[in-house]
Amino acid sequence: MSNSSLMPVSESTSSSRPRVGGATVRKAKLPDAVNIFELVNSLSGDGTLLRRSYAEICENVRDFTVAESESGVFLGCGALHLYGPHLAEVRSIVVKPEAKGQGAGGRLLRALLIEAEEHGVTCVSLFTRIPDFFFHFGFRVVDRTALPDKIYKDCQTCPRLYACDEVAMARGPIPRIAVLGPSRFPQPELVKLQAGSIVPTPTK
Ligand SMILES: CC(C)(COP(=O)(O)OP(=O)(O)OC[C@H]1O[C@@H](n2cnc3c(N)ncnc32)[C@H](O)[C@@H]1OP(=O)(O)O)[C@@H](O)C(=O)NCCC(=O)NCCS
């Protein structure tokens, strides 16, 4: 057992009834970013998932795990964002519509929980509209104010801040610390260029 106080993934998650064949999961590589970008943003319009830019996905591609078929066809993805040893967050977990119900989502989530365990993270959190799926994997509903890091990272800039229909969930003890907070530093002013300070490029 790891030294984290999370219940080991293998002992706690889902009925995990065996499925014939199905998806395999692996850490994402940069060439997966296009597939991840298209699938995640196909579900961002109705608020199921947070919109993520292509640049953001490339920058954070090491957070992602992907599921693929035996022949290597991309089926879905999920990400584990690390705040610190006290907290991680499952983000952008999604399976293509045609691959749902065959175990890919569960395998992705289990892989992310094992990753959190390997990092010694004590609490894994997420915000969702489908808590029932996550109950299968040992998550419980918690008060969102117990997760200030998440609020500072995403909620404060979210257009749904005061009309959020997502449920906060956690697996493991709620952290007593947070590493994020309101910015203490005022936005630096942009350097003002003096008129005539730019030397025009000579034209012939
Ligand atoms: C949620 C999602 C990732 C599940 O993927 P999936 O591949 O269909 O899930 P699995 O087949 O691995 O199911 C694992 C278990 O969860 C259950 N389950 C799956 N979807 C569920 C749901 N929406 N509600 C409750 N239970 C669900 C399954 O019955 C299965 O239980 P079992 O092991 O007892 O048979 C997928 O439905 C999806 O992409 N949804 C849209 C995106 C989304 O809402 N993501 C969550 C954002 S927080």
Side-chain angles (χ1 to χ4, degrees):
M1 181 171 165
S2 82
N3 60 2
S4 106
S5 47
L6 268 179
M7 191 188 301
V9 178
S10 52
E11 287 176 21
S12 66
T13 53
S14 188
S15 56
S16 302
R17 58 187 155 76
R19 292 169 168 87
V20 181
T24 56
V25 293
R26 63 166 171 80
K27 286 298 287 176
K29 296 282 180 198
L30 204 44
D32 297 308
V34 171
N35 285 329
I36 294 171
F37 171 74
E38 287 175 358
L39 184 58
V40 168
N41 288 314
S42 71
L43 288 180
S44 67
D46 67 357
T48 300
L49 297 175
L50 275 183
R51 183 163 181 78
R52 316 237 5 215
S53 71
Y54 178 67
E56 192 192 347
I57 286 170
C58 290
E59 190 182 341
N60 296 293
V61 77
R62 283 166 289 202
D63 285 357
F64 278 88
T65 291
V66 294
E68 59 189 12
S69 70
E70 280 166 7
S71 54
V73 175
F74 174 82
L75 300 177
C77 62
L80 185 77
H81 175 78
L82 300 176
Y83 290 93
H86 63 297
L87 186 66
E89 182 190 352
V90 169
R91 298 163 69 92
S92 305
I93 184 161
V94 55
V95 167
K96 281 182 163 180
E98 63 271 23
K100 278 186 186 178
Q102 295 165 44
R107 283 178 194 164
L108 281 167
L109 183 54
R110 227 172 273 120
L112 298 175
L113 292 175
I114 288 169
E115 193 179 342
E117 223 169 72
E118 287 168 353
H119 279 288
V121 172
T122 48
C123 178
V124 178
S125 65
L126 55 89
F127 275 37
T128 187
R129 287 175 175 167
I130 51 164
D132 288 351
F133 172 66
F134 296 99
F135 286 141
H136 284 267
F137 298 89
F139 285 84
R140 66 191 186 284
V141 173
V142 298
D143 186 337
R144 67 186 55 221
T145 58
L147 301 167
D149 280 330
K150 165 68 178 171
I151 291 175
Y152 285 121
K153 177 167 171 51
D154 291 320
C155 301
Q156 284 197 325
T157 51
C158 177
R160 295 171 197 261
L161 174 61
Y162 296 110
C164 181
D165 58 359
E166 294 193 322
V167 174
M169 300 187 86
R171 185 175 182 279
I174 293 294
R176 289 166 186 237
I177 61 156
V179 292
L180 300 182
S183 172
R184 288 189 203 160
F185 305 104
Q187 198 75 1
E189 273 191 38
L190 289 175
V191 174
K192 292 196 178 74
L193 293 176
Q194 307 268 323
S197 66
I198 299 174
V199 181
T201 319
T203 50
K204 290 187 183 167

